[in-house]
Amino acid sequence: MKTRITELFGIERPIIQGGMHYVGLAELASAVSNAGGLGIITALTQPTPEHLRQEIRRCREMTNKPFGVNLTFLPGIAPPDYPGYVEVIISEGIKAVETAGNNPVKWLPFLKEAGVKVIHKCTSVRHALKAEAIGCDAVSVDGFECGGHPGEDDTPNMILLPRAADELSIPFIASGGMADGRSLVAALSLGADGINMGTRFIATREAPVHENVKQGILSATELDTRIIMRPLRNTERVLINAGVERLIEKERRLGQSITFEDIAPEVAGVYPRVMREGDMDAGAWSCGMVVGLIHDVPTVQELLDRVMAEAEAIVRARLTGLLDASVAAARASVPA
């Protein structure tokens, strides 16, 4: 399948594995790339730029296909060593970068000069247009369904994607609620050039996370995610657990006076405890409503093969069949 996204990143299938903290490691990224998609290493999971360099090289030992790096720009008094991470991305010859968080405009000249294609995660059309204006090559349009940070507009993809298609000139992918061939066909029909899957990729054999996490996703439904940190305007969709329930109770009790320090025990340092140790009640970790559509733990190759086969069957059998039936009905209604 060819779309503007497959052409832009030199991949076979219009499926991208988004950046995920303590999930986007070489094992998963290489598996996605080997299966024809675009695997992504999450830079800030690596404690230093040199650790990122080692992870990139480890991934290259597992695949000779294109893969990228996610670099999330966070606010803060003591930000990560962004110049160091960017230098490693460029010097290691990475040609695809997924940026997220704050505006990446400061770093675009360095990346673009090195021939890096940049796709920026956006939760609104206005942010997507800004990304296009500053020179991003593509955007990921994240609907309210998505795991992680859906923004503050609460616009679901059935509205957000066609709005993006109406306004954007650059390619874009759909993120949030993407799990199977139905998702891919729906996203393409709404104007996207591909899909980003996050939560779905956690429930694969190659995902380097504790088995408790995979089983937690399998046992969850679309009703088991919660929105947190809205009073801080840092809204995040997470899987419900005891830690999240404690956090939500603090939000109820403290209201608009809540601070990050109040909820730090439920959000700071949680990911290694969950993803590596399997402590499912440690606190908040990003998970999309798409858990309601995840019922198995296949290999990445099996998953992508299935997505593409389902998509082709929908287009060839269901959609073409509906069109053929409409044409036949129209002809039958014409008087002889």
Side-chain angles (χ1 to χ4, degrees):
M1 180 182 288
K2 286 188 177 181
T3 73
R4 292 189 296 172
I5 283 293
T6 63
E7 296 296 296
L8 181 65
F9 293 113
I11 56 179
E12 301 161 30
R13 293 167 164 176
I15 300 172
I16 295 176
Q17 166 245 317
M20 293 176 283
H21 206 29
Y22 283 87
V23 181
L25 302 177
E27 291 87 351
L28 181 58
S30 62
V32 173
S33 292
N34 283 333
L38 183 68
I40 300 285
I41 292 172
T42 303
L44 296 190
T45 295
Q46 304 302 321
T48 69
E50 283 307 307
H51 283 88
L52 174 61
R53 188 187 306 278
Q54 294 169 23
E55 194 69 11
I56 290 171
R57 292 180 178 180
R58 197 164 71 90
C59 193
R60 282 222 172 88
E61 293 175 357
M62 303 179 193
T63 185
N64 59 5
K65 300 208 175 158
F67 64 91
V69 171
N70 165 279
L71 188 54
T72 298
F73 297 105
L74 302 171
I77 298 173
D81 180 9
Y82 287 122
Y85 285 110
V86 170
E87 189 281 326
V88 166
I89 288 168
I90 292 171
S91 64
E92 289 297 317
I94 294 295
K95 295 304 180 185
V97 167
E98 176 191 62
T99 56
N102 286 349
N103 191 321
V105 65
K106 176 180 177 180
W107 307 103
L108 282 182
F110 305 101
L111 295 169
K112 301 285 281 185
E113 185 178 352
V116 179
K117 303 296 184 184
V118 176
I119 180 168
H120 187 61
K121 293 177 70 69
C122 303
T123 60
S124 69
V125 174
R126 64 185 181 280
H127 293 149
L129 287 170
K130 180 64 175 179
E132 180 178 68
I134 65 174
C136 291
D137 300 281
V139 292
S140 172
V141 175
D142 291 27
F144 186 55
E145 309 92 328
C146 73
H149 299 280
E152 309 301 323
D153 293 344
D154 299 356
T155 307
N157 270 329
M158 284 294 288
I159 305 302
L160 190 56
L161 297 178
R163 281 285 295 116
D166 287 344
E167 300 287 345
L168 292 170
S169 299
I170 57 175
F172 71 95
I173 59 170
S175 182
M178 303 297 139
D180 52 31
R182 296 172 297 181
S183 308
L184 177 57
V185 174
L188 295 174
S189 70
L190 292 172
D193 299 282
I195 60 174
N196 176 305
M197 295 197 299
T199 304
R200 171 67 268 199
F201 277 124
I202 301 177
T204 58
R205 292 187 198 172
E206 292 90 344
V209 302
H210 197 281
E211 186 64 22
N212 289 355
V213 178
K214 299 179 186 183
Q215 293 304 313
I217 288 174
L218 290 188
S219 63
T221 77
E222 67 276 13
L223 304 178
D224 291 324
T225 69
R226 297 292 184 272
I227 290 293
I228 61 169
M229 295 194 290
R230 176 137 285 180
L232 300 175
R233 294 193 64 79
N234 190 30
T235 300
E236 183 177 4
R237 185 177 297 282
V238 299
L239 191 68
I240 189 69
N241 59 49
V244 169
E245 289 175 341
R246 292 194 302 270
L247 189 156
I248 291 173
E249 175 54 32
K250 291 180 181 181
E251 290 184 338
R252 289 196 190 103
R253 178 163 43 86
L254 297 173
Q256 293 301 314
S257 66
I258 197 168
T259 66
F260 179 80
E261 288 70 26
D262 294 318
I263 61 172
E266 287 76 39
V267 295
V270 165
Y271 274 86
R273 291 167 59 192
V274 174
M275 299 300 173
R276 289 179 175 172
E277 301 169 22
D279 182 357
M280 297 298 287
D281 289 324
W285 57 280
S286 297
C287 183
M289 295 176 76
V290 74
V291 287
L293 300 177
I294 299 174
H295 308 299
D296 64 351
V297 182
T299 67
V300 169
Q301 185 72 54
E302 289 168 346
L303 175 60
L304 265 62
D305 287 349
R306 186 168 70 200
V307 168
M308 299 308 298
E310 288 174 352
E312 182 175 344
I314 290 169
V315 173
R316 291 186 182 278
R318 178 171 173 76
L319 298 186
T320 303
L322 288 173
L323 184 60
D324 290 345
S326 297
V327 171
R331 286 175 177 169
S333 67
V334 176

